Every structure is written in structure tokens, then in C-alpha cells.
Amino acid sequence: MGKSETFQDLALMPPGEGQELGRWLYSELRAAILDGRLKPGSRMPSTRGLSKQYALARGTVAVAFDQLKSEGYVEATVGAGTFVATRIPDDTVAVQSVSAGPAMEPSKAGLASRGRATVDGVRLLPASHSLGIAFRSYEPAIDLFPVSLWSRVAGRVLRNAPRALYGQGDARGYLPLRKAIAEYIGAARGVRCDADQIIVTAGAQQGLDLMARMLLDPGDAVWMEDPGYPGAVFAFRAAGAKVVAVPVDRHGVVVDEARKLRPEARVAYVTPANQFPLGVTMAPHRRAELLDWAAGRNAWIIEDEYDAEYRYSGPPVPSLQSLDRSGCVIYMGTFTKMLFNSLRLGFIVLPQRIVEPFMAARTVLDRHPPTLDQAVLADFIMDGHFGHHVRRMRQVYARRSAALCDASSELAGCLDVVQPVSGMRTLGWVKTQEPDSQVAARARSLGLEVAALSDFTQRHAHPGALVLGFAGCSTAELKRGVEVLAGAFQAGTSAVHQGA
């Protein structure tokens, strides 16, 4: 039977005045076993360590151990040591640990207003215990990620890593990774930058939090696409900003409407290449209007291009940052949607004039993401594996989106699924009279991961729709998902008829 280890240092309550030390030590060790601080099968602290830590005679410690052994709390193995018994005696289960002092009123300490604002309305995403659930929209094709290749690159990096790689890194991130990012987004998205302008973040959400902290004061207005990405809304509200919901049409965010609502806004957050969640591409005239407004107002534009590389038809769309001539656009991206979610690495591209204060902010917050992970990703990109993987996934996602649209003929009259031109998800417009939130809730009860378009809307109403992710599901899983979704619509129709 294998034995688990425990820490040799064990925190015990000090003995009471006049309390016999052997009895005190026995009671504290017994309490630690009963309340789970010393777990069944774990190694007990050594008698030598306890005697030194608490200035006790070795004999005193030995007596306490003997008492615990005689009562069945611990087991001694010659040559191996003393371990907590795997089965605690039945008559001790209800025994409580020794009280540390007189009873006290439960603490009423609570969260600060800023803390409550940070979490207000946040819905926790479930951990990905299973893959391929239709229609999960936030996960790439993890089943197709080249794990063996990644492992080989990681092994090589760890074997050859200089000692400096284990020390404190640059607040901007690992330099070879920043150079690789600059080269890639320059070629693929037309972003004009060098490595010194890039700050590596722990995913896109940390980038949003960092920008919200650095660019916004409490009460500042932020233009936010409506519908739009909730993670950005939460980050801005947590910074005390006033989120201004701006409508989106087929040309993208309606800049004229935003000017009417809050022309003095400090920041505009947009997803121009593939608007989340409508999937429209911002038209050239809207891009020009947005850039003119920001330059004239000394405002900032945050350009989020989390999945812009996945375009299935038409020419590539240049980044908004590539058109910026005043230095008002901050470009951000993430590798979690390109590779795998748990990688938690993203980046922001800053105008040179604000790089240094952002570096200082990173030092205050978390300094930098794990450097070894950054080094593995850097080699993965520089060896050409990243570009190959993205090109392969573009083909795979195109087939999966086509399979979803083909299968959706089964939903005719209930749901009109849009053939996407880019991204990892699409919309299905609800054709029944039922609210999209009710359809989504019923689909989730049947095991699907479906979101309603209304979940992403703040102020401006849209026709009902479901947000359908297709990137992380095989074609067979998508077809089965459509069958289950058809059942959800049928159940809703039956309920309406029964109610009538």
C-alpha cells in the first residue's frame, strides 16, 4: 500500500497554562487527524521534528505517539515511519477538535463595493470535463490539437533551457515569444508593431482587466457593442466605468449612434473582424468614422481579434490597427482560441508611449505569465507548427460549419442557421414565437451547451437567436446536436399546444 507524504512542520495550538505537555501533544495530533489536516495514509511528522519545533523532550513525543497508536489513530511500519491510520476508529468520528478559545460571533466581514461590482452578473463557465459537446462556443478543436508535437517541443525547451529562464522574466513577457507574435500578426493581420510594443498576458480576460485599470477612471464612459462580449462588460464595470451600449447593424458598430449617446467616451471596445456574437465584419466607412472619433477626442479603441484568423470566404480583412495613424488603437489577441483553452496566454499591442506604465502595472499585478510556457509557445510558433495548425483548423472548421448548416435542414421552420464567413460559432435565428432564452434553457436541459443571443444583449433588442459553436465538435457530434435541438423545439411546440 502506497503512503502519501505530508509536511514535516505541523501547526498546533499552543498548550494552555499548566497543561501537561504529553497530553497536549496527543490531543492536538488527534484533533489534526480527526479534522483532516493529517489525512488517512499520510506520513506523520517525525518525533525529532516535533521535539525540535515545539521544544519538547523526545520521550514526551514518543509517549504521545504510543497513545495514538494504541487507540488506532496511527500505524507504525518498521523502517518506513509512522502514518495516519487508513481507517479511523468508528467511535471517534463524532469527536470534535480541541477548542482554540471561547466561542465567538461569526464574522460579518464582507466584500468591498468594487468587489461586488466585479462579480455582479458573472456566470461561471464549467470546466471542460468532456469534449465535443454541441454547441459549446468558447472551445477550439482540442481533440485535434497535436499533443505529441507540443510535448516534443516542450521537452526540448525544458532540456535546453538556460538557468536564466527559471528566473524573473520581463514584465512584457518572454522576448522570443514577443518577436514571434509581432512577426505573425504583422504578416497575417497587417498589425504594425515591434516586439517592444507587445505585452504577453494570461489570456484575453487579463488583457481586458489590465486595460480597464490603466485607461479608465470611475465614471468614464466606454462604448460597448450591443450585443457584445460579456467579459469586456464585466472588466469595464469592475473598473467603475459607465458601459454605453451601442447598437450593431450589418456594417458593424453604429458610430453615429454612439456619438449621440456619449461623445466624450474614453474607450471604445470593438470586434471588427468578426463581431461577437453577430458575426458581421465592420465596414470600411465605419472603421474610418471610429478612427476619426478617437483621434479627435483623444480616446482609445480596443480592437479584440480573438478568432480573426479563421476566415472561410472572401479576402482577408485588415486589422483596424493597421489603419490607425494617430496611435489610438490597442490590438489584442489570445492563443486560447487558437490552440487550447488551458494555455492561458494572450497579448496586447500598445502604442509605444504607454508601454512603460503598462509594464509597471504588470509588475504590481502578477509580473508576467509563466516564462517556461511562453518559451514552449515561442518555439512552437518559430518552428512553423502554429501556422500549420491554424491553416489546418481553418479547413476543419470550414467543414464543420458546413456540416452544421447541412444538418440544420432538419430544423426548417424552427431555426435558420447562418453559414458563417469566419470564426468558431454562428447564429441560428429562432423562427418560432418562443423567446430564445426559453429555447436555450430547454436545449441545455437536454445536454447541449447553447446560449441565447439575448444573453449578450444589454439594451438594443434583436430577433431571437441561438449562438451555436461548431469548432470543438466533430461532424457526427454536430449532427447529433441538431437532432437533440430539434427535440427541444418539438417539446416547446407540444407544451404550447397543451397549454392551449
Side-chain angles (χ1 to χ4, degrees), residues 18 47 53 83 98 123 173 178-179 187 193 223 229 248 261 315 339 344-345 350-351 390 405 423 446-447:
T47 57
Q53 184 179 358
F83 298 84
V98 177
R123 180 174 65 88
R178 290 187 282 119
K179 288 181 176 178
C193 72
W223 289 357
Y229 175 52
V248 177
L261 292 170
L339 298 176
R344 307 313 307 162
L345 287 175
L350 302 167
V390 169
C405 291
L446 296 176

Side-chain angles (χ1 to χ4, degrees), residues 1-3 39-42 72-75 83-89:
M1 177 179 62
K3 299 289 187 178
K39 300 186 182 301
S42 64
Y73 293 105
V74 300
E75 301 167 345
F83 298 84
V84 178
T86 54
R87 296 190 63 181
I88 305 301

Side-chain angles (χ1 to χ4, degrees), residues 223 244-247 254-265 293 297 459:
W223 289 357
V244 180
V246 181
V254 184
V255 179
D256 284 344
E257 183 66 21
R259 286 178 182 270
K260 295 176 184 177
L261 292 170
R262 291 295 290 269
E264 81 289 359
W293 163 79
R297 286 283 183 173
R459 180 169 171 261

